[in-house]
């Protein structure tokens, strides 16, 4: 055991065989819920993935860490939620000592030259994607699949990043071939949507337990 009680298995990057198509689905998962699982399952099916790496991050630099559950707890909750063996729970970013997706993606691609990767994220993240560090570098490194989430879909698609990358959008009918596209390339996948969010779950739990931080959690507009 190492790093806050996390088994070293989770701190090692999963293995990607040559020719595999792998989805990279990162988040704080604080806590993980059925909405996250729906995104993962849709990505597996619609993108034709061989694996999906469920990357439990040390923390999102755009969000407060005051309510962040311990890493080992978020890993355990993720494992309890997932049944599909193609979904690999991992926290290897902890060993990279980074919270920035651009660095993670560059690291993964550099060490797996014979595999193919797609960055997977919920549509709510698209709204703030232009605020991510080196977001254009991410888009230039791997194709991106955006899974619809509850909210104003048109507002997601009119976000700063969506407008900037409009020329690179791939119709969702071609999603199975997204991995073949040279970045930048991205697609928006419509489908079943879950109303759950980690922020709401945390706020609800704290309200029930009388925690004074409930109001602060409810005011956090950035979904996990």
């Amino acid at each position: 055991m190492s790093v806050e009680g996390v088994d070293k298995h989770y701190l090692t990057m999963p293995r990607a065989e040559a020719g595999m198509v792998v989805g990279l689905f990162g988040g704080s998962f604080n806590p993980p819920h059925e909405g996250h699982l729906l995104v993962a399952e849709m990505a597996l099916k619609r993108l034709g993935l061989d694996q999906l790496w469920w990357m439990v991050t040390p923390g999102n630099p755009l969000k407060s860490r005051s309510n962040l559950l311990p890493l080992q707890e978020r890993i355990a909750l993720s494992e309890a939620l997932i049944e599909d063996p193609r979904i690999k729970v991992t926290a290897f970013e902890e060993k990279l000592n980074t919270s920035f997706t651009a660095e993670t993606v560059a690291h993964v691609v550099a060490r797996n030259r014979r595999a193919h990767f797609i960055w997977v994220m919920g549509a709510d993240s698209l709204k703030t994607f232009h605020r991510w560090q080196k977001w254009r570098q991410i888009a230039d490194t791997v194709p991106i699949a955006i899974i619809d989430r509850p909210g104003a879909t048109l507002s997601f698609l009119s976000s700063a990043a969506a407008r900037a990358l409009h020329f690179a959008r791939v119709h969702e009918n071609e999603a199975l071939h997204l991995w073949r596209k040279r970045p930048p390339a991205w697609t928006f996948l419509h489908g079943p949507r879950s109303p759950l969010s980690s922020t709401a779950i945390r706020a609800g739990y704290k309200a029930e337990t009388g925690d004074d931080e409930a109001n602060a959690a409810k005011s956090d507009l950035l979904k996990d």
Side-chain angles (χ1 to χ4, degrees), residues 166-178:
H166 177 73
F167 71 96
R169 185 177 177 184
V170 175
H171 194 281
E172 63 182 305
N173 289 346
E174 299 181 57
L176 281 175
H177 304 290
L178 184 65

Side-chain angles (χ1 to χ4, degrees), residues 10-58:
Y10 293 108
L11 302 176
T12 303
M13 186 187 303
R15 183 178 179 85
E17 303 290 348
M20 273 189 171
V21 181
V22 179
L24 304 176
F25 182 33
S28 54
F29 299 111
N30 186 46
H33 53 70
E34 292 290 341
H36 293 133
L37 186 59
L38 181 59
V39 169
E41 291 174 341
M42 280 187 62
L44 281 166
K45 180 179 180 179
R46 300 284 298 278
L47 301 172
L49 303 179
D50 296 298
Q51 290 183 0
L52 180 136
W53 295 359
W54 182 290
M55 303 189 306
V56 185
T57 66

Side-chain angles (χ1 to χ4, degrees), residues 36 55 61 78 83 92 129 145 153 191 199 221:
H36 293 133
M55 303 189 306
S78 295
E83 295 182 358
F92 70 88
F129 188 46
T153 299
T199 300
L221 298 180

Side-chain angles (χ1 to χ4, degrees), residues 159-209:
S159 66
R163 292 197 308 270
L165 296 174
H166 177 73
F167 71 96
R169 185 177 177 184
V170 175
H171 194 281
E172 63 182 305
N173 289 346
E174 299 181 57
L176 281 175
H177 304 290
L178 184 65
W179 65 272
R180 299 176 182 270
K181 306 293 184 180
R182 181 176 179 177
W186 65 283
T187 193
F188 191 99
L189 301 180
H190 297 82
R193 299 182 294 178
S194 168
L196 293 173
S197 79
S198 296
T199 300
I201 291 172
R202 290 195 304 273
Y205 173 75
K206 290 174 181 178
E208 290 175 4
T209 57

Side-chain angles (χ1 to χ4, degrees), residues 2-222:
S2 61
V3 184
E4 302 179 3
V6 178
D7 190 284
K8 64 180 181 180
H9 161 72
Y10 293 108
L11 302 176
T12 303
M13 186 187 303
R15 183 178 179 85
E17 303 290 348
M20 273 189 171
V21 181
V22 179
L24 304 176
F25 182 33
S28 54
F29 299 111
N30 186 46
H33 53 70
E34 292 290 341
H36 293 133
L37 186 59
L38 181 59
V39 169
E41 291 174 341
M42 280 187 62
L44 281 166
K45 180 179 180 179
R46 300 284 298 278
L47 301 172
L49 303 179
D50 296 298
Q51 290 183 0
L52 180 136
W53 295 359
W54 182 290
M55 303 189 306
V56 185
T57 66
N60 187 328
L62 294 180
K63 302 176 187 177
S64 169
R65 299 194 183 192
S66 61
N67 298 311
L68 192 64
L69 294 171
L71 181 60
Q72 69 269 29
E73 186 171 345
R74 290 180 283 130
I75 290 172
L77 290 170
S78 295
E79 287 284 25
L81 185 67
I82 295 166
E83 295 182 358
D84 194 320
R86 294 173 296 174
I87 302 177
K88 311 295 183 182
V89 177
T90 180
F92 70 88
E93 278 184 292
E94 177 70 31
K95 295 290 284 186
L96 294 183
N97 194 31
T98 181
S99 298
F100 296 109
T101 299
E103 295 177 8
T104 298
V105 169
H107 179 85
V108 168
V109 170
R111 284 157 180 75
N112 299 276
R113 294 292 186 183
R114 300 180 66 190
H116 310 280
F117 295 93
I118 298 174
W119 181 258
V120 176
M121 64 183 183
D124 42 348
S125 294
L126 181 60
K127 291 175 65 175
T128 57
F129 188 46
H130 64 285
R131 294 172 54 196
W132 294 20
Q133 185 187 70
K134 298 180 180 178
W135 68 274
R136 287 183 179 273
Q137 178 180 311
I138 300 169
D140 287 340
T141 303
V142 292
I144 298 172
I146 298 157
I147 313 297
D148 203 2
R149 290 275 287 146
T153 299
L154 290 178
S155 70
F156 297 150
L157 290 172
S158 63
S159 66
R163 292 197 308 270
L165 296 174
H166 177 73
F167 71 96
R169 185 177 177 184
V170 175
H171 194 281
E172 63 182 305
N173 289 346
E174 299 181 57
L176 281 175
H177 304 290
L178 184 65
W179 65 272
R180 299 176 182 270
K181 306 293 184 180
R182 181 176 179 177
W186 65 283
T187 193
F188 191 99
L189 301 180
H190 297 82
R193 299 182 294 178
S194 168
L196 293 173
S197 79
S198 296
T199 300
I201 291 172
R202 290 195 304 273
Y205 173 75
K206 290 174 181 178
E208 290 175 4
T209 57
D211 193 313
D212 290 338
E213 295 181 353
N215 290 333
K218 288 178 181 177
S219 68
D220 181 3
L221 298 180
L222 294 177

